[in-house]
């Protein structure tokens, strides 16, 4: 079945460590996004990519990095520079290169806890 | 600044009707989305409005008034599985998607 797969679902990290969250889609979508979700707040955009080998910073990119070497894959690295990384991370994709004009398809999310 | 307002929490009874409101102040408007999110799960798309009026899709309907900066999601014949958070999001003139914090809907038998 087509969809978006995020892994791992749960992740624990010690302070000072980098961690990479995986996001893979087989929907043949051009655009991919990473969001962060915290209790009581709306989704906040970390990074997005409209095409392979290109990506743009979102509203809260500091302390995060991404790559888009393949159309299907958009991994997110949470670096030690991110001051408050404990959150629920959502990857999404949408068809076409025009962002935010259509339905977003979300992965199941990755819950990161920093100990 | 840009802002999306939704009630934090609502309670309704199984079989009843509930209306979840969303008001927005954004720099321009290019569409409004409603998503459903069960606890600990991914959001799923419910509706998209770009023109004024009511869009009906089964038990769910979504209304938009651009002049008032207002939308609502109407859920009919409520079922226990409708217990979830409902997220309102608006695409602004720069095609940035602004999200509300979501409304947690609790359905009681």
């Amino acid at each position: 079945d087509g969809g978006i797969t995020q892994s791992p679902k749960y992740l624990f990290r010690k302070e000072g460590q980098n961690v990479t969250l995986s996001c893979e889609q087989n929907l043949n979508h051009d655009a991919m996004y990473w969001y962060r979700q915290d209790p009581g707040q709306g989704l906040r955009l970390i990074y997005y990519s409209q095409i392979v080998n290109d990506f743009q910073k979102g509203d809260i990119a500091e302390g995060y990095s991404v790559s888009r070497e393949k159309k299907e894959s958009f991994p997110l690295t949470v670096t030690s520079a991110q001051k408050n990384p404990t959150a629920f991370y959502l990857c999404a994709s949408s068809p076409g290169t025009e962002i935010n004009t259509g339905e977003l398809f979300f992965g199941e999310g990755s819950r990161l806890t920093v100990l | 600044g840009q802002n999306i307002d939704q009630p934090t929490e609502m309670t309704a009874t199984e079989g009843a009707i509930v209306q979840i409101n969303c008001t927005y102040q954004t720099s321009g408007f290019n569409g409004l989305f409603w998503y459903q999110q069960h606890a600990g799960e991914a959001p799923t798309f419910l509706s998209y409005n770009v023109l004024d009026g009511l869009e009906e899709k089964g038990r769910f309907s979504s209304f938009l008034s651009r002049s008032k900066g207002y939308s609502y999601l109407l859920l009919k014949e409520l079922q226990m599985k409708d217990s979830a958070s409902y997220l309102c999001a608006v695409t602004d003139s720069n095609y940035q998607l602004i999200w509300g914090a979501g409304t947690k809907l609790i359905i009681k038998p």
Side-chain angles (χ1 to χ4, degrees):
Chain A
D1 288 352
I4 299 182
T5 302
Q6 287 186 240
S7 64
K9 192 171 177 68
Y10 299 96
L11 186 62
F12 297 89
R13 189 194 90 177
K14 292 182 180 179
E15 282 193 24
Q17 289 181 334
N18 293 354
V19 62
T20 297
L21 308 180
S22 170
C23 178
E24 303 278 332
Q25 55 102 357
N26 61 4
L27 299 167
N28 199 35
H29 285 173
D30 289 302
M32 296 188 75
Y33 313 77
W34 273 106
Y35 283 97
R36 172 180 171 139
Q37 188 173 35
D38 295 283
Q41 297 188 42
L43 298 182
R44 291 185 290 169
L45 183 64
I46 304 173
Y47 270 98
Y48 66 96
S49 169
Q50 294 170 270
I51 198 168
V52 174
N53 292 323
D54 187 48
F55 48 82
Q56 307 296 327
K57 292 182 178 180
D59 300 319
I60 56 164
E62 184 176 351
Y64 299 98
S65 65
V66 293
S67 63
R68 187 87 186 274
E69 296 176 2
K70 299 185 301 182
K71 187 175 184 178
E72 302 79 19
S73 179
F74 192 41
L76 174 74
T77 296
V78 185
T79 75
S80 57
Q82 168 49 234
K83 290 181 171 48
N84 185 20
T86 294
F88 188 51
Y89 291 89
L90 287 161
C91 180
S93 70
S94 62
T97 54
E98 290 187 14
I99 61 168
N100 298 324
T101 56
E103 176 184 353
L104 290 175
F105 295 78
F106 285 89
E108 291 298 309
S110 294
R111 187 167 296 281
L112 172 62
T113 302
V114 174
L115 305 172
Chain B
Q2 309 208 85
N3 197 47
I4 309 284
D5 286 315
Q6 309 178 231
T8 303
E9 187 174 297
M10 299 181 70
T11 302
T13 305
E14 189 176 14
I17 299 173
V18 71
Q19 177 175 310
I20 302 174
N21 295 326
C22 171
T23 57
Y24 61 90
Q25 301 89 37
T26 57
S27 54
F29 178 85
N30 275 302
L32 184 144
F33 298 84
W34 284 98
Y35 284 81
Q36 179 191 61
Q37 185 179 25
H38 287 98
E41 297 183 10
T44 55
F45 172 82
L46 290 177
S47 67
Y48 174 62
N49 295 67
V50 66
L51 300 176
D52 291 351
L54 187 68
E55 297 273 347
E56 297 187 74
K57 192 185 293 186
R59 293 189 299 114
F60 292 7
S61 303
S62 57
F63 172 83
L64 174 67
S65 169
R66 289 172 296 170
S67 63
K68 295 182 179 179
Y70 168 69
S71 172
Y72 67 73
L73 182 68
L74 191 71
L75 291 74
K76 302 177 184 176
E77 300 169 15
L78 286 170
Q79 302 174 9
M80 297 304 293
K81 68 178 182 179
D82 297 330
S83 291
S85 288
Y86 291 86
L87 313 180
C88 175
V90 171
T91 302
D92 70 11
S93 57
N94 293 319
Y95 291 93
Q96 302 304 306
L97 194 57
I98 315 300
W99 293 83
T103 298
K104 182 179 180 180
L105 178 63
I106 300 168
I107 309 297
K108 295 186 175 180

